[in-house]
Amino acid sequence: MQETLDAIIRSAENDCRVVSTRAELEAFKAGLMGPRGSFTQVRKQMGQIAKEERPAFGKKINETKNRLEELLAEIMGRIERTELSSRLGAAIDPTLPSPEHSPGSLHPLTQIRDELCAIFRQVGFVVAEGSEVETEFFCFDALNTPPDHPARDLQDTYYLQEKIHFSNIPQHDKERYVLRSHTSTVQIRTMLDQPPPLRIISPGRCFRRDTPDATHSANFHQIEGLYVDKNVTVKDLKATLDYCFQSLMGKEVRTRFRPHFFPYTEPSFEVDFHSGHLAKVGAEWTEIMGCGMVDPSVFEAVGYDPEVWTGYAFGLGIERIAMILYGVDDIRYLYQNDLRFLDQFA
Ligand code: DAH
């Protein structure tokens, strides 16, 4: 009996060397310890052993079992190491730093936001913050947007349920809460908070009830700008925007102003940007943002004297800039967090 057990160990020690997969390990284990396994067969003979020999036999059985389990654990360790190193493409040295170490990188929208903020800071703008939940007053009324303006339509703007109240988002009156549809709200909050002159930019997230497609998203990002001082002119506005785009995209960039309408600026413009030199972009002139000279009614709404103070304001979409700058033809790529896309901006 003893010899049979020794023989089982010897052959297991020998055979275990060729076991290299989990399936082979299962079969190997079954051949020893399964219901018909060689070790199980010997073990079953316990009943036939003379009583006085049983303790010695029991001890040998235990020793054999321990040795076999040791072998199985060794094989499992080997299989796991092979699996791991084949996944990493090399043998493992656990003392080395992880080869897949990736520090991560900023999202392209964050990169553009940070870059634009740095550019505007250089010419004296400071960053102002607003909140994503706003009230109708800050989103529309104070911005000279009448109650029947299409932007206020339920189909365009997200309104919050009337029973909801936010103690940290001050209402001006009893008006409804909205998810802000643009960052222009920050103009009003800042002007109510600070006396002129001021020069702010405000990056942030906006929400509109748009059906997502290649160029629309229900939430997107803007940067708002506001400059209030005495004798501010369109020339200042244009020079600042030219400086901004040239700093961001190169000296060859040109902008042109097209007359437009926004309730809170007069005159208002849409800005086209000449993208001919950027090989990735097809169109020559691309509309890039809105801007204008602050409408006197906006100054009145915040208690600035429109006879004394003048100013310009602008708002640009960060996604739009990213798409132009990087030749991205579908806005949804910017939100899918697919590493194959994001890695290009690392
Ligand atoms: N709020 C506008 C929009 O969301 C952008 C804009 C246009 C902002 C003109 C301004 C401005 O400050 O003066 O489309």
Side-chain angles (χ1 to χ4, degrees), residues 5-70:
L5 288 171
D6 285 340
I8 288 175
I9 292 181
R10 267 199 310 279
S11 84
E13 284 172 344
N14 192 41
D15 295 348
C16 80
R17 274 179 253 147
V18 296
V19 180
S20 58
T21 66
R22 284 172 192 263
E24 284 170 12
L25 174 60
E26 283 307 309
F28 179 71
K29 188 175 170 186
L32 293 165
M33 294 166 150
R36 279 192 222 116
S38 54
F39 175 65
T40 314
Q41 298 306 323
V42 181
R43 210 175 175 178
K44 277 188 192 157
Q45 294 167 19
M46 179 77 119
Q48 301 154 21
I49 302 280
K51 216 173 181 188
E52 58 284 7
E53 284 174 27
R54 269 188 210 163
F57 180 73
K59 189 165 169 252
K60 188 68 194 166
I61 285 282
N62 272 343
E63 282 169 10
T64 310
K65 184 167 160 266
N66 290 345
R67 178 65 189 136
L68 293 179
E69 279 173 352
E70 229 172 71

Side-chain angles (χ1 to χ4, degrees), residues 143 181-184 187 206 208 220 222-226 262 264-265 267-269 289-294 312-316:
L143 287 162
S181 55
H182 53 181
T183 42
S184 304
Q187 291 187 29
C206 307
R208 278 183 209 173
F220 56 96
Q222 289 189 333
I223 294 186
E224 191 75 12
L226 173 69
F262 296 104
Y264 28 91
T265 41
S268 302
F269 309 99
M289 66 185 293
C291 64
M293 304 306 291
V294 179
Y312 62 69
F314 58 85
L316 56 86

Side-chain angles (χ1 to χ4, degrees), residues 55-205:
F57 180 73
K59 189 165 169 252
K60 188 68 194 166
I61 285 282
N62 272 343
E63 282 169 10
T64 310
K65 184 167 160 266
N66 290 345
R67 178 65 189 136
L68 293 179
E69 279 173 352
E70 229 172 71
L71 286 176
L72 294 173
E74 259 174 49
I75 301 171
M76 192 58 188
R78 202 173 59 222
I79 292 173
E80 280 176 349
R81 277 194 301 280
T82 321
E83 283 177 350
L84 198 59
S85 63
S86 76
R87 224 177 297 146
L88 298 178
I92 290 260
D93 177 351
T95 62
L96 289 174
S98 158
E100 282 185 348
H101 174 70
S102 157
S105 63
L106 293 176
H107 191 279
L109 294 177
T110 311
Q111 291 183 26
I112 291 185
R113 181 201 67 189
D114 289 356
E115 223 168 296
L116 282 170
C117 286
I119 289 169
F120 279 108
R121 272 209 209 98
Q122 276 180 350
V123 285
F125 285 77
V126 291
V127 172
E129 285 187 19
S131 101
E132 292 173 3
V133 173
E134 260 299 353
T135 70
E136 283 182 280
F137 175 80
F138 294 97
C139 208
F140 302 121
D141 298 293
L143 287 162
N144 194 34
T145 309
D148 58 355
H149 192 280
R152 300 178 76 136
D153 209 88
L154 275 175
Q155 267 137 37
D156 286 297
T157 300
Y158 289 106
Y159 287 85
L160 274 71
Q161 290 178 354
E162 290 191 23
K163 57 178 189 243
I164 296 175
H165 181 76
F166 299 91
S167 54
N168 59 338
I169 301 163
Q171 282 160 299
H172 184 262
D173 204 347
K174 284 258 165 286
E175 76 279 16
R176 286 179 292 177
Y177 284 112
V178 296
L179 293 182
R180 68 174 174 195
S181 55
H182 53 181
T183 42
S184 304
T185 52
V186 187
Q187 291 187 29
I188 305 301
R189 293 240 180 236
T190 310
M191 287 192 279
L192 283 175
D193 207 47
Q194 294 173 30
L198 54 83
R199 207 182 309 203
I200 56 137
I201 46 162
S202 185
R205 188 188 293 242

